[in-house]
Amino acid sequence: MFDCEQIRRETHVGNGNRAKQEKQNSDFIRYGKTKKDLQRPKRLYSFDVPKRWFSHFYVISVIWNGMLLWLLLHVVFSGEQFPRWLQTLLYVLCQHPPMDKSGDEVSVVLMLVLLLLQSIRRLIECLFISVFSNGVIHLVQYCFGVCYYILLGLTILCQKTFTENKGEVVTWSHSIPYGDWFEHVSGPNYLAELVIYLGMGLVFGGLNFTWWLVVMYVLFSHALEAVLCHEFYVKKFESYPKHRKAFIPLIF
């Protein structure tokens, strides 16, 4: 005969483990304001780093990808090769020798210039516009962001012929944003960045498969963050506009 009490205990334990795993997963993917009201075990707080460390991503991107752009321009105009260490990195990442002069160098230079400008813009936003308050991000998210911006420039180099006006903080409290793209979506910053990456993909004529993998990552990761942001606004403000979508106007 089945021991009903044992089954009940095992079911209870299973539900508890599942709830515990869901909390850990939620802690991992949420950051900033979407993580503020999350009930978490104390041990998970040891993995928190300040959200203002977002600026580190763009400092690294400006320095690293600026250096890659300088090296690429040196190769294009002097006819010399990349340094040996960079050739090794590109071979490991791309599984083919570094880009030769096949006509793609103009697109690659343009891509790195656009990436550098985007990184400079985001760095300026982080340093002089964004108000991070006491928000946090997961340590793994931070490490992933650092690696992401280092690998992004290398991915571009893998391309070959593969056919208040004063800027003062008015309040530290969250409020409903209005104006421009905010009238249509809760995360216009995520949508705008996706559009930027799509445009950069078109610079390659839409033929760089590796770059479209980057675009897919940006699409899914930004969609997730936009949804979490949208849920935060809807939960916090009863008067939040009903017509406003999370990520894509009129659709999602």
Side-chain angles (χ1 to χ4, degrees):
M1 294 180 65
F2 289 104
D3 189 336
C4 295
E5 181 62 23
Q6 181 179 358
I7 294 175
R8 188 190 65 80
R9 287 197 300 266
E10 291 177 352
T11 302
H12 178 74
V13 171
N15 292 336
N17 290 336
R18 184 162 54 251
K20 181 179 178 181
Q21 185 64 42
E22 289 177 353
K23 284 187 177 181
Q24 291 178 342
N25 293 339
S26 185
D27 180 73
F28 179 76
I29 64 176
R30 292 176 181 268
Y31 66 86
K33 58 179 176 289
T34 65
K35 196 172 189 174
K36 188 175 182 180
D37 298 327
L38 188 66
Q39 295 181 351
R40 302 183 292 155
K42 290 185 178 180
R43 60 185 177 81
L44 294 180
Y45 284 86
S46 59
F47 295 99
D48 290 346
V49 298
K51 187 185 174 185
R52 61 177 58 90
W53 284 14
F54 258 69
S55 59
H56 296 180
F57 301 156
Y58 307 112
V59 170
I60 291 172
S61 181
V62 169
I63 295 174
W64 172 254
N65 294 307
M67 180 190 68
L68 293 182
L69 176 61
W70 182 84
L71 291 173
L72 177 61
L73 291 174
H74 187 68
V75 169
V76 171
F77 291 107
S78 71
E80 298 182 5
Q81 293 185 338
F82 287 122
R84 179 66 61 181
W85 62 268
L86 183 54
Q87 291 187 47
T88 301
L89 278 177
L90 292 175
Y91 185 81
V92 171
L93 181 63
C94 315
Q95 295 301 305
H96 63 69
M99 183 192 69
D100 54 20
K101 286 195 173 183
S102 56
D104 286 339
E105 60 269 12
V106 175
S107 295
V108 177
V109 168
L110 180 57
M111 284 285 288
L112 278 176
V113 169
L114 292 174
L115 175 59
L116 185 59
L117 290 176
Q118 161 71 354
S119 300
I120 292 173
R121 182 187 70 82
R122 290 292 289 122
L123 179 59
I124 292 174
E125 287 181 353
C126 286
L127 294 179
F128 303 109
I129 300 176
S130 298
V131 179
F132 292 114
S133 65
N134 295 319
V136 297
I137 60 177
H138 198 284
L139 178 61
V140 174
Q141 288 178 311
Y142 174 79
C143 294
F144 184 85
V146 171
C147 295
Y148 172 77
Y149 280 98
I150 291 176
L151 292 174
L152 196 57
L154 294 174
T155 300
I156 293 175
L157 288 183
C158 282
Q159 168 68 7
K160 214 172 176 229
T161 46
F162 291 138
T163 321
E164 216 191 300
N165 298 336
K166 293 182 180 179
E168 297 177 353
V169 177
V170 178
T171 176
W172 290 95
S173 301
H174 290 102
S175 59
I176 300 176
Y178 291 100
D180 296 323
W181 289 17
F182 275 112
E183 298 298 329
H184 306 286
V185 293
S186 297
N189 52 323
Y190 301 119
L191 175 60
E193 192 154 346
L194 174 63
V195 171
I196 290 172
Y197 279 86
L198 287 171
M200 293 170 73
L202 295 178
V203 172
F204 283 149
L207 301 177
N208 189 329
F209 177 73
T210 304
W211 185 257
W212 289 116
L213 293 179
V214 173
V215 172
M216 291 301 295
Y217 162 75
V218 172
L219 170 62
F220 288 111
S221 64
H222 283 33
L224 174 60
E225 297 304 333
V227 168
L228 294 176
C229 183
H230 183 74
E231 290 178 349
F232 170 83
Y233 283 126
V234 171
K235 181 179 179 180
K236 187 174 182 65
F237 304 104
E238 294 182 358
S239 60
Y240 196 71
K242 302 296 183 182
H243 69 277
R244 193 176 296 184
K245 300 297 183 180
F247 189 44
I248 301 177
L250 304 176
I251 299 176
F252 171 67

